[in-house]
Amino acid sequence: MSDHVHLHEVGPRDGLQNEKAVIGVDRKVALIDLLSGSGLQDIEVGSFVSPKWVPQMADTPEVLGQMQRAAGVTYGVLVPNMRGWDGFAPFANGPFEIAVFISASEGFSQANLNCSVRESVARAAPVVTAAQEAGVGVRGYVSCVTDCPFDGPVAPDAVAEATGLLRALAPMQVSLGDTIGKGTPERVGAMLEAVLHDTPADQLAGHFHDTTGLATRNIAVALDLGLRHFDSAVGGLGGCPYAPGAPGNVATETVLEMLDKQGWHHGVDRDVIAKAAVMAKGMRA
Ligand code: HMG
Ligand code: MG
């Protein structure tokens, strides 16, 4: 089994989306450009969502237009519906990938997307088709894989079912989000066992928020179960505007330190990430 671990940087999107004070396009572009030279191969840079719902991401088209496009880097954006696809479409020839996102719990689905889980999949379906027709890569997210801020604990089977709903649309890597960071290693392990029943480990990513300091232990459990893709945010920024209590994503620098200690390969320059972490923390209000 591979000893290479692939980090998917979500700081410029998940890290910054919750910041109340508007951060200028220039500062976002500077962070993305710095990260682009770190060796990271996947950087999530924005969202085509309603500017009324997530004002911080309203400048995503300007960010995409002004940032560097480093060779070998794929830049991700969230696209929940066809309105979002229309906003993204002018960039479809670039080095971009889109992500559709659903929840394993109904409460978070309503709060985050204003619709049921099934409705969110129906909204994602034409987006996935449009991306396939345009030759754009697609990633999926399932949120609330252990706990929902509204519905409480989430059953592992509900996560497996939600993952299956996304992958029925198209083959895609699905990132499993512990949105409010309440997952323990035991419960993350049980959830992954359920998902792995139908979906191979190389089609899954772990996306851990770090409320209780268990994120790296949860990553270790996922590594043991064969996952090699993890999301993290430089500087540990983050939180979801529709998940009260959602803390920052696990910090990229923390994950890299852990991977180095345990002898995993990752291909990322920790000095560049340390500089980016300082820059990202400076964006926090
Ligand atoms: P809605 O209100 O149900 O949509 O929102 P609607 O179709 O009824 O439209 C309402 C208004 O929004 C209309 O404008 C639309 O044009 C506009 P109005 O006529 O009122 O002026 N609209 C849009 N504008 C721009 N871009 C769009 C778009 N769609 C509709 N794509 C919607 C549905 C999905 C848009 C809304 O619920 C929304 O934007 N939600 C925010 C979702 C979000 O970005 N959440 C945070 C990211 S998810 C996350 O952080 C979790 C993750 O990190 C993993 C984890 O940790 O678990 C991924
Ligand atoms: Mg998240």
Side-chain angles (χ1 to χ4, degrees), residues 92-147:
N93 288 329
F96 298 106
E97 170 186 86
I98 62 147
V100 292
F101 50 108
I102 68 169
S103 174
S105 66
E106 291 296 339
F108 184 69
S109 186
Q110 290 293 345
N112 194 43
L113 289 166
N114 202 25
C115 63
S116 69
V117 174
R118 294 266 166 186
E119 284 164 341
S120 69
V121 176
R123 290 179 186 185
V127 175
V128 172
T129 302
Q132 286 180 311
E133 285 171 3
V136 173
V138 180
R139 192 177 202 232
Y141 278 104
V142 173
S143 289
C144 300
V145 297
T146 62
D147 296 270

Side-chain angles (χ1 to χ4, degrees), residues 169-194:
L169 300 178
M172 66 174 86
Q173 181 185 81
V174 175
S175 173
L176 301 167
D178 179 9
T179 313
I180 54 173
K182 276 192 152 183
T184 59
E186 294 71 27
R187 294 177 61 226
V188 166
M191 177 276 294
L192 288 174
E193 300 270 9

Side-chain angles (χ1 to χ4, degrees), residues 13-14 17 47-54 78 80-81 83-85 101 108 112-114 123 141-144 177-179 207 209 239-242 249:
R13 193 280 303 174
D14 207 356
Q17 70 182 5
S47 303
F48 286 90
V49 299
S50 164
K52 288 183 197 148
W53 284 61
V54 188
L78 300 190
N81 57 13
R83 171 72 199 275
W85 173 263
F101 50 108
F108 184 69
N112 194 43
L113 289 166
N114 202 25
R123 290 179 186 185
Y141 278 104
V142 173
S143 289
C144 300
D178 179 9
T179 313
H207 177 109
H209 288 251
C240 176
Y242 299 101
N249 294 84

Side-chain angles (χ1 to χ4, degrees), residues 11-279:
R13 193 280 303 174
D14 207 356
L16 298 182
Q17 70 182 5
N18 211 24
E19 290 300 318
K20 294 283 171 276
V22 175
I23 301 162
V25 172
D26 289 359
R27 296 179 76 198
K28 292 178 183 174
V29 167
L31 178 63
I32 294 163
D33 287 352
L34 183 54
L35 290 166
S36 292
S38 68
L40 285 163
Q41 292 176 314
D42 284 283
I43 306 174
E44 199 168 72
V45 293
S47 303
F48 286 90
V49 299
S50 164
K52 288 183 197 148
W53 284 61
V54 188
Q56 189 64 256
M57 292 291 114
D59 59 8
T60 293
E62 288 76 25
V63 171
L64 265 55
Q66 291 180 35
M67 56 180 244
Q68 282 174 22
R69 299 175 179 190
V73 182
T74 300
Y75 299 93
V77 289
L78 300 190
V79 177
N81 57 13
M82 283 308 282
R83 171 72 199 275
W85 173 263
D86 291 343
F88 167 74
F91 300 97
N93 288 329
F96 298 106
E97 170 186 86
I98 62 147
V100 292
F101 50 108
I102 68 169
S103 174
S105 66
E106 291 296 339
F108 184 69
S109 186
Q110 290 293 345
N112 194 43
L113 289 166
N114 202 25
C115 63
S116 69
V117 174
R118 294 266 166 186
E119 284 164 341
S120 69
V121 176
R123 290 179 186 185
V127 175
V128 172
T129 302
Q132 286 180 311
E133 285 171 3
V136 173
V138 180
R139 192 177 202 232
Y141 278 104
V142 173
S143 289
C144 300
V145 297
T146 62
D147 296 270
C148 171
F150 307 101
D151 300 348
V154 173
D157 284 351
V159 185
E161 189 183 340
T163 304
L165 288 173
L166 282 179
R167 285 175 51 78
L169 300 178
M172 66 174 86
Q173 181 185 81
V174 175
S175 173
L176 301 167
D178 179 9
T179 313
I180 54 173
K182 276 192 152 183
T184 59
E186 294 71 27
R187 294 177 61 226
V188 166
M191 177 276 294
L192 288 174
E193 300 270 9
V195 177
L196 285 164
H197 197 260
D198 296 319
T199 306
D202 66 0
Q203 296 294 297
L204 296 170
H207 177 109
F208 296 103
H209 288 251
D210 206 12
T211 322
T212 52
L214 288 174
T216 51
R217 285 181 56 200
N218 291 336
I219 290 173
V221 168
L223 283 165
D224 280 348
L225 288 168
L227 274 72
R228 294 290 180 268
H229 291 256
F230 296 95
D231 301 349
S232 60
V234 70
L237 299 190
C240 176
Y242 299 101
N249 294 84
V250 65
T252 306
E253 57 274 25
T254 303
V255 181
L256 291 173
E257 186 184 354
M258 167 199 171
L259 293 175
D260 279 342
K261 273 190 191 148
Q262 297 184 2
W264 297 94
H265 296 142
H266 52 71
V268 182
D269 185 332
R270 286 178 60 188
D271 291 338
V272 179
I273 294 299
K275 283 184 199 148
V278 172
M279 188 186 279

